[in-house]
Structures are given as C-alpha cells and as structure tokens.
Amino acid sequence: MVISNTTRHSQRAALTSSHHSSLRRHYFLLLSGITSIMPTVTNAFFISTNHHHHHRRNNQLTTSISHRNVHLPKRNSIQLSSTTSDEEQPTTTNNSVTGPIYEMTNDDDNNNNNNPPNIKLFTKEGCTLCDKVKDILLELKTSHPHSLYAVDITDEDKQVWFDKYKYDIPVLHMNEVYWTKHRLTREEAIEAIEEAVGGVFVGRGGEPDAGRLEHG
C-alpha cells in the first residue's frame, strides 16, 4: 500500500513537472512572437502618426490659403487708395464711356464761327460731377457752339490720363489744352468758349498730375 501511494505521488509529480515545462515552452514562444512583431507594430504606429500630422497640416494650410483669398478688381472699375501702389493700373468692369457726346460742324454753327472749339471731358462711368459739367455745356450747345467728347480714363489705352487725373475728374480740355477741373459754372464755360472762338484761349494753371506727386 505504501509502495502504491509512493508510485502515485511520483507519477503526479512527473505530470506536474511536465505540465510546467509545457507552459514554459508556450510562454517562451509567445514572448518570441511578440518580440519579433514589435518592430513592425512600431513602424506602423509611426507611419500612421506621421500621416495624421501631415493630413492635419495640409488641412490647416488649405484653410489658411482660403482665408487669404484676395478678389482683385476686374478691368474697368477704379479702386482709389491713399496708399497707391507704384504699379497701380486703371481697372475697368463697366462699359467705356469714351466717344463723342455731341459734335458741332461749321454747318451746324448758327453764329458762323469758323472753328467751333472742341472740348474734352475726362471722366468715367458713374461720375456724377462729370454729369453736372456735361449738363452745363449741353445748355450752351446752341448759343455757344462747340463739340464735346468724353475720355474714359479707365480705358486700358488711357493709362497716361488715368495716372494724371484719377483723383480729379471731371477734368476739361479746350482744343487739347488743359482748362479746368472738378466743377464748372455757366459763366466760366461761356468765357472760355468765347476765348477759344476768338483764338485767344490760354491754358489755365493748376493742371492735376497725381502720378507725378506720388512718385516725386
């Protein structure tokens, strides 16, 4: 009986030892497997993290650029500023108003003036002061014959006039000579037209030149 019990204890100890050995082998294999895949997991983590930061940076950059979008003025609308750029250009989005407003020929001149004077109105679309000057001259069209032409300073081919007159329209020329700016009374118009008809008109002083002042 004693021998039988001893045998059982020995067999049980052997089984326990074998089981522990098996567990140690499985644990060792598990550790070996984890160790072997650690570099791959680590690389995957860094790649994922870098991709996330790169994607976030791109989104921030896109948002920043969209917030800085600048809508530049289109051709044909003047944008005037006290801090005018050296590269300022006339820009236009409206229709050009350049062209004859009315023309007077010798046959139309009831006063028998040999050379009805030519007046140029430097203007742009939407200039209300220019309209007032035009109305005054239109009233004198018959009594003091003359031709009136509009010059739109925002036209692309009128850069010279834009540089000079961009802050001062309306500006008037009589027979290609500077006459006046800003405003015009009926009396001033009659006086200048009569001088031109008599051949004694002399250009007035004070012609504006914004470009010279800005770059001087």
Side-chain angles (χ1 to χ4, degrees), residues 60-72:
Q60 290 175 340
L61 180 60
T62 302
T63 302
S64 176
I65 290 174
S66 66
H67 287 167
R68 291 200 305 266
N69 278 344
V70 177
H71 300 285
L72 299 177

Side-chain angles (χ1 to χ4, degrees), residues 99-146:
I101 298 174
Y102 49 83
E103 296 180 288
M104 184 69 64
T105 65
N106 290 336
D107 294 336
D108 298 326
D109 185 359
N110 296 327
N111 294 331
N112 295 319
N113 295 328
N114 293 327
N115 295 301
N118 294 320
I119 299 174
K120 282 186 178 179
L121 171 62
F122 292 85
T123 181
K124 74 178 185 69
E125 188 176 47
C127 175
T128 55
L129 288 177
C130 303
D131 292 338
K132 292 179 180 179
V133 168
K134 182 170 60 177
D135 290 342
I136 288 175
L137 291 171
L138 184 59
E139 291 176 1
L140 302 175
K141 175 184 175 182
T142 301
S143 62
H144 295 78
H146 61 276

Side-chain angles (χ1 to χ4, degrees), residues 190-206:
I190 291 173
E191 179 184 7
I193 292 172
E194 289 179 348
E195 289 178 4
V197 170
V200 295
F201 178 83
V202 177
R204 276 49 168 176

Side-chain angles (χ1 to χ4, degrees), residues 2 20 36 77 94 101 111 156 193 205:
V2 175
H20 287 171
S36 66
S77 95
N94 304 318
I101 298 174
N111 294 331
E156 291 184 357
I193 292 172

Side-chain angles (χ1 to χ4, degrees), residues 3 23 47 60 79 96 102 109 116 124 147 161 172 180-181 198 207 213-214:
I3 294 172
L23 287 177
I47 290 173
Q60 290 175 340
Q79 180 180 4
S96 172
Y102 49 83
D109 185 359
K124 74 178 185 69
S147 297
W161 299 121
L172 291 168
T180 189
K181 64 182 179 182
E207 180 178 10
L213 293 176
E214 289 172 351

Side-chain angles (χ1 to χ4, degrees), residues 1-15:
M1 185 62 132
V2 175
I3 294 172
S4 178
N5 287 336
T6 301
T7 301
R8 287 196 192 94
H9 284 299
S10 297
Q11 289 176 346
R12 189 176 298 136
L15 288 174

